[in-house]
Structures are given as structure tokens and as C-alpha cells.
Amino acid sequence: MPKVDLDAVTPSNATGYPPPFNQAVAGRWWKRIAPLAGLTEMGASHVTLDPGAWSSQRHWHEDDDELLIMLSGTAVLVEDEGETELRPGDIAAWKKGRGTGHHLINRSDAPCSFVAISAGPGGPGGYSDIDMVWTADGKYVRKDGTPY
Amino acid sequence: MPKVDLDAVTPSNATGYPPPFNQAVAGRWWKRIAPLAGLTEMGASHVTLDPGAWSSQRHWHEDDDELLIMLSGTAVLVEDEGETELRPGDIAAWKKGRGTGHHLINRSDAPCSFVAISAGPGGPGGYSDIDMVWTADGKYVRKDGTPY
């Protein structure tokens, strides 16, 4: 059935981030939509952020476009250019290869939720605030290439 | 600015559908998000349906995945399998090449809105209820290939 039954999925807060970078996303609960619906041309996740949680470390994708739609609650979008509050119905989008990072922080006292969508070949990416990048095969390493 | 300023865009109800198939989408008002944000790996549109309007003729994509997120109001998702009401926060997704069509109809007495996203190479597609297909180069023709 094409209506996605999110209630049938148990959310996960798993992350591949090495410590201490995993701590900020401990309150990020995600459900993968794309495999549930059989999508192969895009990635899509439903994400809930507990109060204080981050959507990710502040990052960008070299080869993938991203789009985010706020569903409930509020979050602060943090970028080099400043901070923007996102509310239900707001849409944010980042074209591939911007080279400047973004993430959301839930600074409210209630959960917030959004859908995050990505499309592209799935390449490497960078982080704005920490000594980390991810490689084309999805590994987290230091900027000099050494592993964590 | 990655937050998409939809208020800066004038909605359009233009369609390439030949008559009489254009009538059902006269109350469909769309704003393209992808070009506004510089996205090239996915298509994304914000769509408002007036009461009675359809999102499209009932269709499928051969080579593109689609995902839809309801933002406001209600619409009825119509498919071979039946009808499903979609409400704000609901997500529906269609993998490429399903071969059975879908569309939304606003049967309520108020506007509804959603975001529609697609990704893939952009190929041809089919229609469930009418003698029409669209070709890989985006032309609407009869199922025997003759033009309208």
C-alpha cells in the first residue's frame, strides 16, 4: 500500500559516528521510508528529535541533493550564514556540493519531527565543525584520512 | 538561503495535458521547489489543490520514484487497490515501474496542500483511466503513439 505505515516501524537511534560525535544524536530517532516503500532512486527517512538532540553533525554532501520538510514541533537550522527557525510545513533544501554545512538542533522542550530526502549517486561528504569526513563508501575518518 | 521561500513564488496551474484531460487539474496550483533551491538530483513541487481538483490524471512513472507528504487539509488517494484518505503528516510513496496508477483528489470543501518529490532518470509513464501515455521526452500521446 503506497501510504507509508510509519507506525509499523520501530525507530532507531543507531549511528555510525565515533565517540564523542555520537552523543549529540543520541536523541535522534529515525525510520527509513525508502526501503519500506521499495524506493531505490531516493533516500527518505522520518526523523524525530528529542529536546536537545541534533539531526546530525553539521555536514554537507558532495554529490547528493537534500530536502527536508518539517512535520511537527520546531527546530533551529544552523548554517554558516546563521540560524533559522523551522516550523511545520517549512521546507529546506541543499544542493549537492555546497561545501558549507547544515544541521538542525531541537532547542525546544518538546519533540520535533521532519522528513529528510536525498537523491544522487551517494558520494562523500564533509563536516563543518569537527575533524571528520565521510568517504564514498560511507566510512567516517579524520580529514587526513586516518580512521577513528 | 536553504529555507525555501515559497511566498516568493507565484503558483501556476499550467498543464501540458490536452483537452479534456486538462480540466481535472485546473484547480491544481504548483510551485517548483527544485529549481528555486538549485536541486538537480530530484524534482520537488509544492502543490495546492482547490476543492474538487485532481493532483494529476491517474498515472505511474516507469523509471522514477515518487514520494508525497501531506501538509494541510485532506485528499483521497485513488489507486487500483482502493481509496485512502491522506491527512497532514501522512506520507505516500510509489516505486518506479509499478505499472498501476495513482492520483489525489480533493473531495473536501477546503484547499489541501502537499509536497511531491521525484527522483530518477526521468523516463516515460502511463495513465490508468484514459487513452494517453507520456514519452521519454515528455510528450503526451495516445497509447498507439499518435499525437493529440
Side-chain angles (χ1 to χ4, degrees):
Chain A
M1 199 65 192
K3 181 179 164 183
V4 176
D5 184 6
L6 287 172
D7 292 337
V9 185
T10 304
S12 171
N13 72 339
T15 177
Y17 285 168
F21 308 133
N22 58 346
Q23 293 169 10
V25 296
R28 174 190 65 178
W29 299 91
W30 51 267
K31 299 177 178 185
R32 292 261 180 276
I33 296 168
L36 207 64
L39 306 185
T40 53
E41 299 285 349
M42 67 176 89
S45 292
H46 180 281
V47 181
T48 300
L49 297 182
D50 292 338
W54 297 11
S55 62
S56 67
Q57 294 286 339
R58 199 156 72 89
H59 76 287
W60 71 88
H61 294 254
E62 292 295 353
D63 302 323
D64 290 355
D65 286 341
E66 291 180 275
L67 186 141
L68 180 148
I69 301 165
M70 282 301 289
L71 295 182
S72 68
T74 63
V76 178
L77 166 62
V78 180
E79 302 174 290
D80 283 2
E81 298 85 349
E83 300 193 349
T84 311
E85 186 175 73
L86 296 182
R87 284 173 283 195
D90 281 346
I91 300 166
W94 301 272
K95 64 180 179 182
K96 60 185 178 183
R98 284 183 90 231
T100 64
H102 62 271
H103 65 173
L104 269 58
I105 300 178
N106 182 356
R107 293 208 187 115
S108 79
D109 56 6
C112 70
S113 67
F114 57 86
V115 174
I117 294 148
S118 64
Y127 291 94
S128 305
D129 306 317
I130 58 177
D131 181 20
M132 191 163 83
V133 299
W134 82 89
T135 62
D137 56 351
K139 290 196 172 63
Y140 298 109
V141 300
R142 292 186 179 84
K143 289 179 179 174
D144 67 6
T146 57
Y148 277 100
Chain B
M1 198 64 193
K3 180 179 163 182
V4 176
D5 184 7
L6 287 171
D7 292 338
V9 185
T10 304
S12 170
N13 72 340
T15 177
Y17 285 168
F21 307 133
N22 58 345
Q23 294 170 8
V25 297
R28 173 190 66 177
W29 298 91
W30 50 267
K31 299 177 179 185
R32 292 262 181 274
I33 297 168
L36 207 63
L39 306 185
T40 53
E41 298 286 348
M42 66 177 90
S45 293
H46 180 281
V47 181
T48 300
L49 298 182
D50 292 338
W54 297 12
S55 62
S56 67
Q57 295 286 340
R58 198 157 72 90
H59 76 288
W60 70 88
H61 295 255
E62 292 294 352
D63 302 323
D64 289 355
D65 287 341
E66 290 180 277
L67 187 142
L68 180 148
I69 301 165
M70 283 300 290
L71 294 181
S72 68
T74 62
V76 178
L77 166 61
V78 180
E79 301 174 290
D80 283 2
E81 300 84 349
E83 300 193 349
T84 311
E85 186 175 73
L86 295 182
R87 284 172 285 194
D90 282 347
I91 301 166
W94 301 271
K95 63 181 179 183
K96 60 185 178 183
R98 283 183 90 231
T100 64
H102 62 272
H103 65 172
L104 269 60
I105 300 177
N106 182 356
R107 293 206 188 118
S108 79
D109 55 7
C112 69
S113 66
F114 58 86
V115 175
I117 295 149
S118 64
Y127 291 93
S128 306
D129 306 318
I130 59 177
D131 181 19
M132 191 165 81
V133 298
W134 83 89
T135 62
D137 57 349
K139 291 197 170 64
Y140 298 108
V141 299
R142 291 185 179 84
K143 289 178 179 174
D144 66 5
T146 58
Y148 277 99

